[in-house]
Amino acid sequence: MSHPIIRFDHATFGFLGTIALEDISLSIPESEFVGVIGPNGSGKTTLCRAVLGLMAPLSGTLRVLDCACEELRCHHRALIGYLPQKGMLDRNFPVTVLEAVMMGRYGALGLFRRPSGKDRDIARQALTQVGMDHHRDSALGALSGGQQQRVFIARALAQQPRILLLDEPTTGLDLTAQHSVVELIQQLHQQLKLTILMITHDINMIRSRVDRLVLLKTKLFAAGPPHEVLQPDILSQVYGKELVITDKDFVIVEDYHHH
Ligand SMILES: Nc1ncnc2c1ncn2[C@@H]1O[C@H](COP(=O)(O)OP(=O)(O)OP(=O)(O)O)[C@@H](O)[C@H]1O
């Protein structure tokens, strides 16, 4: 295994009165594509927030890019692209597609430095990578949900990150758009050799695409190649009756977006 770019060592994270993640030990080597699954409230978003250096461990350690997470500095954080859950971003913000992607350059620019032609080139390259450069002058709000998601992925790519954190990137999209966004993410992983952590509720969509699945329920329940983690006995311990396993597919019957 190559040197881990993310390393949790018996790390516990929480909020006042709540333990969100407990005793997590997990090493992620550079360029791995990891799917993060688990029921609602199992700590998936907390895992992303911890990697971004937004939460210090209550005990144990987390090192990201060879730095203790509580000491991640701006230049390190700029190497971590983050696509938050739908609803966390204002998709009707009155900007063009290119302007939205240019926002991804601000971390690299630092305060007060105006974007240069080079920053613009990097933003356009990111738009090309997600197949959206021809829409660069369109209003962000005029795009479909799937196209907007591509633009937000381009914004994260414009940071020229080494790690990409994606929190449910397909939620709210129709099935065709879900497939095309996941295909794009897989393709970016192969082309750019990025380390990707992708949170999802859609086990079937990612099981054949990720290198490893991490199954959370406050604790790290399982981590390994999809075929090892997706065992009925493991899944039923975590999801209980919420998960129905058919011949081919895993169906989560819980209505997780309306809880
Ligand atoms: N800001 C907060 N303040 C207090 N508790 C929080 C906060 N954010 C999350 N929690 C709690 O931490 C636990 C883990 O939440 P987290 O959002 O990481 O789960 P999740 O797996 O991402 O859930 P979902 O699938 O519903 O998005 C939950 O018990 C949640 O209620």
Side-chain angles (χ1 to χ4, degrees):
M1 193 195 259
S2 64
H3 189 58
I5 193 166
I6 298 170
R7 186 188 174 122
F8 291 84
D9 193 3
H10 296 288
T12 293
F13 296 89
F15 303 91
L16 208 60
T18 313
I19 297 290
L21 282 175
E22 187 178 356
D23 195 23
I24 304 293
S25 291
L26 175 70
S27 283
I28 299 176
E30 182 137 33
S31 305
E32 191 170 45
F33 185 5
V34 178
V36 181
I37 58 172
N40 290 126
S42 57
K44 302 182 297 295
T45 299
T46 303
L47 192 86
C48 276
R49 291 176 54 81
V51 171
L52 281 166
L54 300 177
M55 297 177 75
L58 301 174
S59 60
T61 58
L62 164 60
R63 292 186 71 80
V64 179
L65 295 160
D66 265 330
C67 198
C69 66
E70 51 278 60
E71 285 165 11
L72 276 181
R73 309 225 185 281
C74 282
H75 67 279
H76 274 103
R77 211 169 275 162
L79 297 173
I80 308 173
Y82 178 44
L83 180 63
Q85 263 180 40
K86 202 166 189 227
M88 303 291 285
L89 293 166
D90 182 357
R91 284 155 201 270
N92 290 314
F93 196 59
V95 289
T96 66
V97 164
L98 183 60
E99 284 164 349
V101 176
M102 285 292 278
M103 290 177 195
R105 294 298 304 152
Y106 293 161
L109 286 171
L111 276 180
F112 310 123
R113 187 165 82 69
R114 283 167 55 86
S116 65
K118 181 169 168 263
D119 294 307
R120 205 184 148 84
D121 291 346
I122 292 171
R124 285 207 45 193
Q125 188 190 0
L127 274 172
T128 303
Q129 282 166 333
V130 303
M132 289 292 291
D133 191 47
H134 56 297
H135 280 295
R136 64 185 173 278
D137 297 322
S138 307
L140 179 64
L143 303 181
S144 72
Q147 289 173 326
Q148 286 180 350
Q149 209 58 327
R150 284 173 180 264
V151 173
F152 288 117
I153 292 171
R155 185 172 77 160
L157 291 178
Q159 276 177 246
Q160 301 188 307
R162 283 174 63 194
I163 301 172
L164 195 55
L165 305 174
L166 305 167
D167 197 345
E168 298 190 36
T170 60
T171 298
L173 304 180
D174 63 51
L175 206 57
T176 315
Q178 285 181 29
H179 274 287
S180 92
V181 165
V182 174
E183 260 160 33
L184 170 69
I185 293 165
Q186 186 181 21
Q187 189 190 322
L188 291 172
H189 172 246
Q190 284 160 0
Q191 283 169 1
L192 304 176
K193 307 277 177 266
L194 288 169
T195 308
I196 301 183
L197 261 68
M198 173 170 157
I199 297 178
T200 184
H201 282 279
D202 198 334
I203 299 174
N204 303 313
M205 185 86 81
I206 57 157
R207 60 201 266 210
S208 62
R209 303 177 191 269
V210 292
D211 299 318
R212 201 151 54 125
L213 276 179
V214 165
L215 175 61
L216 296 175
K217 189 170 182 179
T218 311
K219 296 191 175 184
L220 182 75
F221 234 81
H227 69 275
E228 279 178 21
V229 172
L230 298 177
Q231 296 292 333
D233 55 326
I234 298 177
L235 292 172
S236 60
Q237 283 181 62
V238 172
Y239 288 95
K241 291 200 177 65
E242 287 164 14
L243 189 81
V244 175
I245 302 172
T246 68
D247 286 354
K248 301 198 305 315
D249 286 337
F250 300 89
V251 183
I252 297 171
V253 291
E254 171 202 29
D255 188 2
Y256 43 83
H257 293 294
H258 298 97
H259 60 103

